[in-house]
Amino acid sequence: MTVEKILTWFYACKTTDVPENGGVCVKYNDEQIALFHFTRRNEWYATQNECPHRQQMALSRGMIGSQNGEPKVACPFHKRTFSLITGECLSDDECSIKTYEVKIEDGNVFIAVEE
Amino acid sequence: MKIVVIGNGMVGYKFCEKLVAKQSNQHKIVVFGEEIRPAYDRVHLSEFFAGKSADDLLMATADWYSENNIQLLLSDPIIHIDRANKKITSHHGLVEDYDILVLATGSAAFVPPIPGVEKQGVFIYRTIEDLELMTAYAKKAKTGAVIGGGLLGLEAAKAMLDLGIVDTQVIEFAPRLMPRQIDDAGSKILQHKLESLGLTIHTNKNTSAILGDDRITGMQFTDDTQIDVDMLVISAGIKPRDELAKQAGLAVGPRGGIMVNEQLQTSDENIYAIGECALYNNMIYGLVAPGYEMADVVVAKLTGGEKTFTGFDMSTKLKLIGVDVASFGNPFVASNEGRAIVLEDTHKGIYKRINISNDGKELLGGILIGDADAYNMLLQTCKSKVVLPPNPEDIILGSRGGSEASEGAGVASLPDDALICSCEAITKGMICSSVTDAACETVDAIKKCTKAGTGCGGCVPMIKDLMVHTMKTQGKYVRNVLCEHFDYSRQELFDLVKLKELKTYDEVLNELGKGDGCELCKPPVASILASLWNELILAKGNDTAQDSNDRFLANIQKGGTYSVVPRIPGGEITPDKLIVIGSVAKKYNLYTKITGGQRIDLFGAHLTDLPNIWQELIDAGFESGHAYGKSLRTVKSCVGSTWCRFGLHDSVSFAIEIEERYRGLRSPHKLKSGVSGCIRECAEAKSKDFGIIATEKGWNLFVCGNGGSKPQHALLLASDIDSETCIKYIDRFLMFYVKTADPLTRTATWLNKMEGGIDYLRNVVVNDSLGMAAQWETEMKLHVATYECEWKAAIETPEIRKRFSHFVNAPEEKDPTVKFDEMREMKKAKEWK
């Protein structure tokens, strides 16, 4: 049996609202989602905004980059890095973050959340 | 077996401690002490005056003895030993039999037979009771004297100063101070130093009488001179407490001391003597370390081990009234045994002597006064008979010309147990073994393996140095590159970016790197671009390459809010500007604190409020303080000649000029500076990256100092220069640093790693040995001419201003997760887990 997740796409912002190779924080009800435009790779990613290390709402203000080709974000507080694809922590094995799907339509950014 | 210990001093206690640790409860232990307290730390007796209580000085509490089944009987000296029946009798009439008897009776102060020693106001310096008596008497004394200029005598003199007797004289019978440890020349330096601290010192002075009726009023000397004193402490040496042993018929030395063999046995095999009462090989060991060693030998013997006492190294290092004094090995070598190399700096009060064997290969001993930093290294060299380098003088002079200075010398010299990461308590040894044993060859791998550097991250540059150093010692080739995306060092990258005239992070990555960059290479590249082109750091394309703090022109703080630090050049501020800071802080509910750099930090600002806060500050004439950037922070100053009665020059004006010249200069790490108006150095300029101190003739320029986790005093680069020359040298110095240092390397570390050290640096900056001076000065001129306040630009540019919101889709809303607690009528960030 497969459990199908029901995804809801919501409108986040315009693509031009997000800085190149950087992130912004999107509000969805009480959730905070970090949205990144990896312009260099022409890719979009979304993760939870909270860094699990010290529970700080900061990942959207972090620097993005890659490690052996894997796209990642570094928390501005203590430089823990997380994979933007899997949400796994690349600096230690203790914590991971939630990731979200992103799609672009006509210059608008949509993020998928589970209902 | 029943063991009785006579004496509960430091050595007697240590014997119990070691015995208990070796074999608990197998022996019955009884201890007699004559003082009212259990053993206390006599070595640090003078701390009694610095506010320590008698309890603080205890080696262990009375409970410790009972917890370990040791019967402790205090205030009860032993008066008789019956060796035939193996019994002892105490003053209170207790009779105790023993299988093994340990004498740890210690020593007493030696009081020379001077007429009048019984008078009131004459003290010895030995027990806490002596100190209590001195303290009570000192209240009515104005002048004091100490007989004895040895170790203990000088300690006693310090005690007198601590008691508030400013006029204290030291009387030494020998021609010099500390005659057993140091030579004439060293003694002169020490004497000079102590005199500058307020002590009066007489050598070659023999006391013939103590004057006064009931209480002391003065002293008479054999050279027919007299002095008036209200109080006297006699500290002329020790005599071993051997009277009980003597009475029991044990062998004692002609000048005192209970004779013992290598196992510390007296002439009765069931009786041992340890500590200052024992005479081994015609020598009394008047230090605590050999006493502990003796205790260890006896414990080993009683618990079935094998150990012998064959003498002990009497090397010592101590701080006497703030002056380092050390002597090791054989401090006085006769001319047929070896030769001495002596460094004497009467200006700084430093004296160093090393004695080397006639073939120049072995270190026999030496003396260090005023600066004993090299003591441990020299002691080890001496003890383990390490073969000396061809120029043995280097070991006290330091390598001149710097040919010996090697990369990472700073970390290499640290001991293995040195704490590198204090957040996670990781030592140097643990980091090095992660490199050797776990094959960690990147900083990230070390972080993952040891957790070092995962807390505040302040130790990461040191971790990198240790890794590079360890890999080099393993014979591995280490290339100092930025990260996986750039195969260049920062210095190489700096030159290439300039040559190719690259202006954005992406251009640099395309031309010189690979992949997508990361948090390791983005900030240094952004810093290089800012240093080279001096364009606004938030220009499009480079903004997201900045570290979070630079990106939002503020320091991110616990909880996700930011701090605001306006520039207050030289620490000078008008009342009106103070009022503005106060009202802005009030309006935006900010926590305010004076920083160490003489400015005011406003904490707890929401990201959304930053542009409005800065708008108000800028309207009132403030500008960015760059507290968030790897750039010039503050130029601290003392009040200088405009107000201070000692000031030689106007340090505040010069500090303002310096701060305004270099503000905004992006560099590998933050830069701090200070200007002091006279030698008193109230601005602490010598702890700064560059510090300026006024002299009669101009300024002295010091460079590469540091506070922080590895404090280091700045070194003199040039002396007695005028303001113009001073600025010229700083221009060159800063440009050289900005171009060549590794990322996150402060000037102190940069210099430590520089081949040739300060001499090389001076050659480059002052003598222009690289021929770069003119170019660097031009570049600095460009920096000064193109400087603009980043915050002003940010609030005037709508596009940039827009970025200061927490939610992209709800720009007016603040982050609801930000929480504060209250403390002392202000707020603080909510504690994180």
Side-chain angles (χ1 to χ4, degrees), chain A residues 12-13 17 19-27 32 38 40-41 49 53-57 60-69 72 74 76-81 90-94, chain B residues 448 451 454-456 484-485 506 509-510 515-519 522-523 540 543-548 551-552 556-560 562 607 802 806-810 813 815-817 832-833:
Chain A
C13 59
D17 289 335
E20 291 186 4
N21 294 305
V24 292
C25 175
V26 179
K27 181 179 158 74
Q32 295 198 15
F38 213 139
R40 201 179 162 75
R41 298 162 65 115
N49 191 33
H53 173 224
R54 292 287 191 199
Q55 289 82 45
Q56 300 289 307
M57 285 295 181
S60 59
R61 301 178 204 167
M63 271 179 281
I64 57 173
S66 67
Q67 181 172 326
N68 300 318
K72 62 170 182 174
F77 274 89
H78 303 98
K79 297 284 177 322
R80 286 255 182 328
T81 55
L90 304 172
S91 329
D92 61 40
D93 310 318
E94 280 166 22
Chain B
K448 208 160 181 169
K451 294 193 134 254
T454 58
C456 71
E484 66 177 66
H485 305 107
D506 265 5
L509 189 58
N510 288 340
D516 309 308
C518 67
E519 76 282 1
K522 282 182 173 181
K540 198 168 163 31
D543 54 343
T544 51
Q546 307 290 345
D547 218 333
S548 178
R551 186 172 161 203
F552 295 106
I556 193 164
Q557 305 290 354
K558 202 189 254 185
Y562 287 84
L607 184 60
K802 199 180 107 187
H806 184 69
F807 293 115
V808 67
N809 52 348
E813 276 183 50
D815 179 359
T817 65
W832 57 26
K833 282 166 225 155

Side-chain angles (χ1 to χ4, degrees), chain B residues 5-245:
Chain B
V5 183
I6 303 179
N8 188 226
M10 295 176 80
V11 172
Y13 160 77
K14 194 52 96 178
F15 173 80
C16 295
E17 185 197 278
K18 284 177 188 270
L19 189 60
V20 167
K22 270 266 164 62
Q23 280 193 347
S24 53
N25 297 333
Q26 290 202 8
H27 302 295
K28 182 167 168 45
I29 308 171
V30 183
V31 179
F32 285 89
E34 68 173 13
E35 288 188 52
I36 58 167
R37 290 185 182 80
Y40 53 86
D41 183 355
R42 229 184 278 279
V43 174
H44 295 102
L45 210 53
S46 62
E47 288 175 17
F48 189 71
F49 297 118
K52 283 219 174 172
S53 71
D55 281 351
D56 291 335
L57 291 172
L58 286 186
M59 306 290 291
T61 60
D63 291 344
W64 179 86
Y65 295 87
S66 55
E67 278 160 18
N68 287 290
N69 286 323
I70 298 171
Q71 195 184 350
L72 177 65
L73 299 148
L74 294 171
S75 305
D76 198 6
I78 300 302
I79 52 169
H80 182 67
I81 302 174
D82 175 1
R83 284 168 54 204
N85 296 306
K86 293 172 96 176
K87 279 184 197 312
I88 53 163
T89 310
S90 81
H91 176 70
H92 288 162
L94 286 175
V95 178
E96 219 36 83
D97 51 9
Y98 65 83
D99 297 309
I100 295 291
L101 185 64
V102 177
L103 301 175
T105 48
S107 66
F110 166 67
V111 180
I114 304 168
V117 288
E118 73 293 343
K119 288 193 203 311
Q120 281 181 44
V122 180
F123 299 89
I124 53 171
Y125 184 76
R126 176 81 192 159
T127 64
I128 289 186
E129 281 68 39
D130 295 334
L131 265 58
E132 284 170 347
L133 292 172
M134 280 168 65
T135 311
Y137 199 87
K139 291 189 180 112
K140 42 197 172 175
K142 287 203 174 61
T143 54
V146 175
I147 295 185
L151 271 178
L152 274 174
L154 295 176
E155 273 287 321
K158 175 176 188 328
M160 297 279 255
L161 291 179
D162 287 343
L163 282 174
I165 301 179
V166 183
D167 182 5
T168 293
Q169 316 201 25
V170 176
I171 319 291
E172 171 59 48
F173 174 71
R176 62 170 189 264
L177 293 174
M178 298 183 67
R180 285 198 217 161
Q181 286 87 7
I182 60 178
D183 60 6
D184 276 332
S187 173
K188 277 209 185 77
I189 296 267
L190 176 63
Q191 182 170 344
H192 189 73
K193 275 230 147 180
L194 295 177
E195 281 167 351
S196 72
L197 295 167
L199 288 175
T200 310
I201 298 192
H202 307 276
T203 52
N204 277 322
K205 203 92 168 159
N206 193 359
T207 313
S208 56
I210 292 166
L211 310 173
D213 296 331
D214 292 338
R215 55 175 58 209
I216 177 171
T217 55
M219 294 165 74
Q220 168 80 46
F221 302 104
T222 50
D223 58 4
D224 284 338
T225 54
Q226 273 190 11
I227 58 169
D228 293 336
V229 286
D230 305 330
M231 186 173 169
L232 171 67
V233 176
I234 297 180
S235 186
I238 56 167
K239 62 167 195 253
R241 294 282 300 274
D242 58 4
E243 64 276 8
L244 193 59

Side-chain angles (χ1 to χ4, degrees), chain B residues 380-548:
Chain B
Q380 293 313 320
T381 308
C382 177
K383 269 186 165 172
S384 33
K385 304 202 185 318
V386 178
V387 177
L388 292 174
N391 299 314
E393 68 274 17
D394 284 355
I395 63 180
I396 49 171
L397 292 174
S399 50
R400 290 138 303 137
S403 53
E404 299 291 312
S406 61
E407 186 168 339
V411 289
S413 59
L414 292 173
D416 270 354
D417 57 3
L419 202 58
I420 303 296
C421 170
S422 42
C423 302
E424 296 287 338
I426 311 293
T427 63
K428 173 184 167 183
M430 290 152 89
I431 291 169
C432 292
S433 55
S434 78
V435 178
T436 50
D437 304 342
C440 297
E441 297 192 348
T442 62
V443 172
D444 275 342
I446 295 175
K447 277 182 169 180
K448 208 160 181 169
C449 175
T450 64
K451 294 193 134 254
T454 58
C456 71
C459 59
V460 170
M462 260 163 108
I463 295 175
K464 190 171 177 194
D465 284 352
L466 280 171
M467 177 189 80
V468 170
H469 173 73
T470 311
M471 285 169 72
K472 274 190 180 163
T473 55
Q474 287 181 301
K476 287 185 179 155
Y477 176 66
V478 187
R479 224 179 114 65
N480 184 18
V481 300
L482 278 190
C483 69
E484 66 177 66
H485 305 107
F486 288 98
D487 214 6
Y488 299 106
S489 70
R490 181 182 179 278
Q491 184 178 353
E492 290 164 339
L493 212 53
F494 193 104
D495 291 337
L496 288 168
V497 170
K498 185 175 182 195
L499 209 70
K500 294 180 178 269
E501 295 191 15
L502 306 174
K503 297 284 175 77
T504 67
Y505 176 77
D506 265 5
E507 282 174 32
V508 177
L509 189 58
N510 288 340
E511 284 275 326
L512 304 167
K514 56 177 184 284
D516 309 308
C518 67
E519 76 282 1
L520 295 176
C521 58
K522 282 182 173 181
V525 170
S527 160
I528 288 171
L529 290 168
S531 299
L532 271 176
W533 314 122
N534 210 27
E535 286 173 357
L536 193 62
I537 60 162
L538 293 189
K540 198 168 163 31
N542 286 338
D543 54 343
T544 51
Q546 307 290 345
D547 218 333
S548 178

